Amino acid sequence: MATLTLGITGFSYGDLFDPLRLRDLFNLFHEELGRSDAELTSRYDEYLRTHGEGLAPEMLSQLLVEVAPHVSRFVAKLFSVQAEAGVAKSATEHDWVVFRFKDEFIKRRVLKKVVADAAAAIAEGEVVWRKHGLGVEKLEGERVVAETVCALLDRETQLKTGAAEDPALVALRADLSKIESWLAARKPELQARWRSFRTAEPLPDADHLVPLKRPSQTNPELMVAAPHHHRARDGFKLTDRRGTKIGVLAEVDYCLYCHDRNKDSCSKGLHEKSGAVKKNALGVELDGCPLAEKISEMHAMKRQGDPIAALALICIDNPMMPGTGHRICNDCMKACVFQKQQPVNIPLIETSALTDVLELPWGFEIYGLLSRWNPLNARRPYALPYRGKDILVVGMGPAGYTLCHHLLNEGFGVIGIDGLKLEPLSSSLVGEQVHGTLPEPVREFATLYGELDDRVMLGFGGVSEYGITVRWDKNFLTIVYASLLRRHTFRCYGGVRFGGTLTLDDAWKLGFDHVAIAVGAGKPTVIDMENNLIRGIRQASDFLMALQLTGAYKKSSIANLQVRLPAVVIGGGLTAIDTATELLAYYVVQVEKTLNRYEKLVDDFGAERVLGAFDIEEKEVLAEFLAHGRLIRGEREQAEREKRDPDFQTLLDEWGGVTIAYRKRLTDAPAYRLNHEEVEKCLEEGV
């Protein structure tokens, strides 16, 4: 058991779950802010009094950006992670030199340089590099080159204060000119490897957002991914790992930080002069973030290498942010100020703000605190104590669990119910409310993390749990679930069907003061068509729920979920996209499990006895699965010999694969209009 001793005298870990002590903690923060910066505190007090009403957007943004580092330092002190937060800041500064190099040297000098003799320029450049301490072997490292050039640029700035004909300045400028030529001569090669050479790509027109190939002249409607966009999928581990830290910083560098001009359309939307919301070429309204998250301000904190400040800014409007971000929502990207070139990948940055904090010691505890105590949130800087009113929330999907959080912060008692079975979390993680036992503090979030193909399905999170692909990290649902279960005035029950197990009259008799229904779209759409539920046909949402909630995709599962190829998914929404993607991946798992278990049974009981348990039709299906399983096994063994990842796509295509059929054009499909990236990822995986 980890022991957490808070770094602020007079407060204990248990106080972080007590609303009255959270108020005391806020007052202490306010006192420290006043001692640190009286003028800022005066503006902050006005913000608290008015909740920001009447304050110009630019002034509000500036205030939040100024206060956020104070919140960060206070929280870092509270959890005694100042040193680790400092390391994170230093790492950002260390990486940021690449983007300074890009902005001040590559863009301004190198890209404008014309080199007549590339070989000569490279040879002369290597002489200059050696003069400044870099041998040829070090010149492949982008950061090393960037650090050296930036140091030379600083030296140039210093020398400019003297005489224009200063020999040292003349010599330095000659060296920089040769370095410019060296980089310009290597531009074609370095563009593919160095982030400093990458420039913004134009956004394709609305009809060509997804790279496509039409492989059949006889079937011109058939579309597949362009060959160079194919990516192999093997099983149900997380497929999209959210990029590298320097990749995230590249997106932060790309942002224009529009909040200081009230032009942050990613948050507030794009508007016509009349005030009406603009629409893109697909007819989608560019409203920006539905929560009006402080996106640009958060980017400014990421730029400074302050992950706690960045997270605190997000938590003002989106305290349940583990359930959003990378691979979930993209309204912010659609409304980005860059409308003619690729937008900033805001969801990637948002999720990194969370994961950077989770990587700190006690990061899980820091997030939990900021969801119920956040001085940047003028309307509710700390959770209120219980006010004697109880609310029943029906449905534990994104809408339901977010509502639960806000009701809890407002001081209500909340009972959450869901029709699905909800797996309990360990008492060590969430405490025992009946006995008043505190949860054990979590020092390392990694101890809660599990690979998606081995993780226990919690049932919590509704569509986020069962209705989407493993392109999104469902471990984030554990964060939300545990954060709610740790609240003293919250209870959650699964397997409760509202209107059946529990009626509205029952809710009133039990003493609830209010009932909130947040059941989403859990009921599948049944098409009024003859034979629409005969054998071999099932609803897409039913397939996804059966796949995820039974754990059928796990090697250890014996869940009864059978699919055959070729398969057709009818529809053009995101549910169709997710169904097709997961169906294709599941088929490989299914035939491998069938082969392994068949061989084990034959070893134990003999082939005759095993096959005797099947009828004629079942034997036909079994033979098909066994044949396909052997081919999958062969590809896996060959890939291991050749030291590469297995690629099952050729086999899956030979067996008919998975096809999405939609009644209109691809560009009319809801999935394409709302989130074309998911269509692209689906096709990349072989649909």
Coordinates of all heavy atoms in Angstrom, one line a residue, residues 233-236 563 565 583-594 628-629 632 636 648-649 652 655:
R233 N -3.5 -5.2 -38.7 CA -4.1 -5.3 -37.4 C -4.0 -6.7 -36.9 O -4.3 -7.7 -37.6 CB -5.6 -4.9 -37.5 CG -6.5 -5.2 -36.3 CD -6.7 -4.1 -35.4 NE -7.6 -4.5 -34.3 CZ -8.9 -4.1 -34.2 NH1 -9.4 -3.3 -35.1 NH2 -9.6 -4.5 -33.2
D234 N -3.7 -6.9 -35.6 CA -3.6 -8.3 -35.1 C -4.2 -8.2 -33.7 O -3.5 -7.8 -32.7 CB -2.1 -8.7 -35.0 CG -2.0 -10.2 -34.5 OD1 -3.0 -10.9 -34.4 OD2 -0.8 -10.6 -34.2
G235 N -5.4 -8.6 -33.5 CA -6.1 -8.7 -32.2 C -6.7 -7.4 -31.7 O -7.0 -6.6 -32.5
F236 N -6.8 -7.3 -30.4 CA -7.6 -6.3 -29.8 C -6.8 -5.4 -28.8 O -7.3 -4.9 -27.8 CB -8.8 -6.9 -29.1 CG -9.9 -7.3 -30.2 CD1 -9.8 -8.5 -30.9 CD2 -10.9 -6.4 -30.5 CE1 -10.7 -8.8 -31.8 CE2 -11.9 -6.8 -31.4 CZ -11.7 -8.0 -32.1
V563 N -19.1 -15.6 -36.4 CA -19.3 -14.8 -37.7 C -18.6 -15.5 -38.8 O -17.6 -16.3 -38.6 CB -18.7 -13.4 -37.5 CG1 -19.4 -12.6 -36.5 CG2 -17.2 -13.4 -37.2
L565 N -17.2 -15.2 -43.1 CA -16.8 -14.3 -44.2 C -17.3 -15.0 -45.5 O -17.3 -16.2 -45.6 CB -15.3 -14.1 -44.2 CG -14.7 -13.4 -43.0 CD1 -13.2 -13.1 -43.3 CD2 -15.4 -12.1 -42.7
L583 N -15.2 -6.6 -36.6 CA -15.6 -7.9 -37.2 C -14.4 -8.5 -37.9 O -14.2 -9.7 -37.8 CB -16.8 -7.7 -38.1 CG -17.6 -8.9 -38.5 CD1 -19.0 -8.5 -39.0 CD2 -17.0 -9.8 -39.6
L584 N -13.7 -7.7 -38.7 CA -12.6 -8.2 -39.4 C -11.5 -8.7 -38.5 O -10.9 -9.8 -38.7 CB -12.0 -7.1 -40.3 CG -11.2 -7.5 -41.5 CD1 -11.9 -8.4 -42.5 CD2 -10.6 -6.3 -42.2
A585 N -11.2 -8.0 -37.4 CA -10.2 -8.4 -36.4 C -10.7 -9.6 -35.7 O -9.9 -10.5 -35.3 CB -9.9 -7.2 -35.5
Y586 N -12.0 -9.7 -35.4 CA -12.5 -10.8 -34.6 C -12.4 -12.1 -35.3 O -12.2 -13.2 -34.7 CB -13.9 -10.5 -34.1 CG -14.5 -11.7 -33.4 CD1 -14.0 -12.1 -32.2 CD2 -15.6 -12.4 -33.9 CE1 -14.6 -13.2 -31.5 CE2 -16.2 -13.4 -33.3 CZ -15.7 -13.9 -32.1 OH -16.2 -14.9 -31.4
Y587 N -12.6 -12.1 -36.7 CA -12.6 -13.3 -37.4 C -11.3 -14.1 -37.2 O -11.3 -15.3 -37.1 CB -12.9 -13.0 -38.9 CG -13.1 -14.3 -39.7 CD1 -14.3 -15.0 -39.6 CD2 -12.0 -14.9 -40.4 CE1 -14.5 -16.2 -40.3 CE2 -12.2 -16.1 -41.1 CZ -13.4 -16.7 -41.0 OH -13.6 -18.0 -41.7
V588 N -10.2 -13.3 -37.2 CA -8.9 -14.0 -37.1 C -8.8 -14.6 -35.7 O -8.4 -15.8 -35.6 CB -7.7 -12.9 -37.2 CG1 -6.4 -13.5 -36.9 CG2 -7.7 -12.4 -38.6
V589 N -9.2 -13.9 -34.6 CA -9.2 -14.5 -33.3 C -10.1 -15.7 -33.2 O -9.8 -16.8 -32.6 CB -9.7 -13.4 -32.3 CG1 -9.9 -14.0 -30.9 CG2 -8.8 -12.2 -32.2
Q590 N -11.3 -15.6 -33.9 CA -12.3 -16.7 -33.8 C -11.7 -18.0 -34.4 O -11.8 -19.1 -33.8 CB -13.5 -16.3 -34.6 CG -14.6 -17.4 -34.7 CD -15.7 -17.0 -35.7 OE1 -16.8 -16.8 -35.3 NE2 -15.3 -16.8 -36.9
V591 N -11.1 -18.0 -35.6 CA -10.7 -19.2 -36.2 C -9.4 -19.8 -35.5 O -9.2 -21.0 -35.5 CB -10.4 -19.0 -37.7 CG1 -11.7 -18.6 -38.5 CG2 -9.4 -18.0 -38.0
E592 N -8.6 -18.9 -35.0 CA -7.5 -19.4 -34.2 C -7.9 -20.1 -32.9 O -7.4 -21.2 -32.6 CB -6.5 -18.2 -33.8 CG -5.7 -17.7 -34.9 CD -4.6 -16.8 -34.5 OE1 -4.9 -15.7 -33.9 OE2 -3.4 -17.1 -34.6
K593 N -8.9 -19.5 -32.2 CA -9.4 -20.2 -31.0 C -10.1 -21.5 -31.4 O -9.9 -22.5 -30.7 CB -10.5 -19.3 -30.4 CG -9.9 -18.1 -29.6 CD -10.8 -17.6 -28.5 CE -12.1 -17.1 -29.1 NZ -12.9 -16.5 -28.0
T594 N -10.8 -21.6 -32.5 CA -11.5 -22.8 -33.0 C -10.4 -23.9 -33.2 O -10.6 -25.0 -32.8 CB -12.3 -22.5 -34.2 OG1 -13.3 -21.5 -33.9 CG2 -13.0 -23.8 -34.7
H628 N -9.1 -22.1 -42.3 CA -8.7 -20.7 -42.2 C -7.7 -20.6 -41.0 O -6.8 -19.8 -41.0 CB -9.9 -19.8 -42.0 CG -10.7 -19.7 -43.2 ND1 -11.9 -19.0 -43.3 CD2 -10.6 -20.3 -44.5 CE1 -12.4 -19.1 -44.5 NE2 -11.6 -19.9 -45.3
G629 N -8.0 -21.3 -39.9 CA -7.2 -21.2 -38.7 C -5.7 -21.7 -39.0 O -4.8 -21.1 -38.5
I632 N -4.0 -18.9 -41.0 CA -3.6 -17.8 -40.1 C -2.4 -18.2 -39.3 O -1.4 -17.5 -39.1 CB -4.8 -17.5 -39.1 CG1 -5.9 -16.9 -39.9 CG2 -4.3 -16.6 -38.0 CD1 -5.6 -15.5 -40.4
R636 N 1.4 -16.5 -39.2 CA 2.0 -16.0 -38.0 C 3.4 -16.6 -37.8 O 4.3 -16.0 -37.4 CB 1.1 -16.4 -36.8 CG 1.4 -15.7 -35.5 CD 0.4 -16.0 -34.4 NE -0.9 -15.5 -34.6 CZ -1.3 -14.3 -34.4 NH1 -0.4 -13.4 -34.1 NH2 -2.6 -13.9 -34.6
F648 N -2.5 -10.4 -42.1 CA -3.5 -11.4 -42.5 C -4.4 -10.9 -43.6 O -5.4 -11.6 -44.0 CB -4.4 -11.7 -41.3 CG -3.6 -12.2 -40.1 CD1 -3.6 -11.5 -38.9 CD2 -2.8 -13.3 -40.1 CE1 -2.9 -11.9 -37.8 CE2 -2.1 -13.7 -39.1 CZ -2.1 -13.0 -37.9
Q649 N -4.2 -9.6 -44.1 CA -5.1 -9.0 -45.0 C -5.3 -9.8 -46.3 O -6.5 -9.9 -46.8 CB -4.7 -7.6 -45.3 CG -5.8 -6.8 -46.0 CD -7.0 -6.7 -45.1 OE1 -7.0 -6.4 -43.9 NE2 -8.2 -7.0 -45.7
L652 N -7.7 -12.6 -45.5 CA -9.0 -12.2 -45.3 C -9.7 -11.7 -46.6 O -10.9 -12.0 -46.8 CB -9.0 -11.0 -44.3 CG -8.6 -11.4 -42.9 CD1 -8.3 -10.1 -42.0 CD2 -9.7 -12.2 -42.2
W655 N -11.0 -14.7 -48.5 CA -12.2 -15.3 -47.9 C -13.4 -14.4 -48.0 O -14.5 -14.7 -47.5 CB -11.9 -15.6 -46.4 CG -10.8 -16.5 -46.2 CD1 -10.3 -17.5 -47.1 CD2 -9.9 -16.6 -45.1 NE1 -9.2 -18.1 -46.6 CE2 -8.9 -17.6 -45.3 CE3 -9.8 -15.9 -43.9 CZ2 -7.9 -17.9 -44.4 CZ3 -8.8 -16.2 -43.0 CH2 -7.9 -17.2 -43.2

